[in-house]
């Protein structure tokens, strides 16, 4: 099982409705910040704040073109997060519950 700490920033970044919607928007491909901004009732500084969290978590990759930032989902991390989620929500021999000395002790 992979290190849970590697995914804490990712799940924290996804813990906001606006950021979830931005990730969903970027699933269609790269977008300019101006296009993202038009889809929300937020200011440019607020969008910058959300994009900073998404890029620092690694979920989103940014590049500057002229005076605008362009963003896209980090497909490598997205796939890793999917695999991690599948791993922690599916019973397996690597599950942390297998390391318990006793189970069903709350009777």
């Amino acid at each position: 099982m992979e290190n849970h700490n590697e995914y804490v920033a990712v799940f924290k970044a996804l813990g906001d409705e606006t950021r979830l919607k931005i990730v969903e928007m970027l699933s269609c491909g790269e977008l300019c910040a101006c296009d993202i901004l038009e889809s929300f009732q937020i200011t440019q500084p607020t969008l910058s704040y959300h994009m900073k969290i998404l890029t620092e978590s690694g979920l989103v990759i940014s590049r500057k073109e002229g005076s605008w930032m362009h963003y896209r989902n980090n497909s490598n991390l997205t796939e890793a997060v999917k695999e991690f989620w599948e791993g922690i929500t599916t019973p397996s021999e690597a599950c942390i519950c297998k390391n318990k000395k006793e189970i069903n002790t709350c009777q």
Side-chain angles (χ1 to χ4, degrees), residues 6-88:
E6 295 174 28
Y7 296 97
V8 170
V10 169
F11 287 105
K12 282 184 178 181
L14 294 173
D16 177 86
E17 181 180 4
T18 299
R19 291 192 291 271
L20 277 173
K21 289 178 180 178
I22 291 169
V23 169
E24 181 179 359
M25 287 179 69
L26 295 175
S27 70
C28 297
E30 184 177 86
L31 291 172
C32 177
C34 59
D35 295 325
I36 298 169
L37 191 58
E38 286 180 8
S39 298
F40 297 95
Q41 298 296 320
I42 58 175
T43 63
Q44 189 279 325
T46 301
L47 176 64
S48 292
Y49 169 76
H50 287 302
M51 298 315 296
K52 179 181 182 216
I53 291 171
L54 288 169
T55 55
E56 286 181 351
S57 74
L59 281 169
V60 171
I61 297 170
S62 64
R63 69 176 183 85
K64 189 168 179 127
E65 186 176 301
S67 61
W68 287 104
M69 293 297 293
H70 292 257
Y71 299 96
R72 64 183 167 88
N73 284 337
N74 179 348
S75 58
N76 292 332
L77 183 56
T78 301
E79 287 303 314
V81 170
K82 288 179 191 177
E83 290 174 19
F84 175 75
W85 185 256
E86 180 69 22
I88 65 170

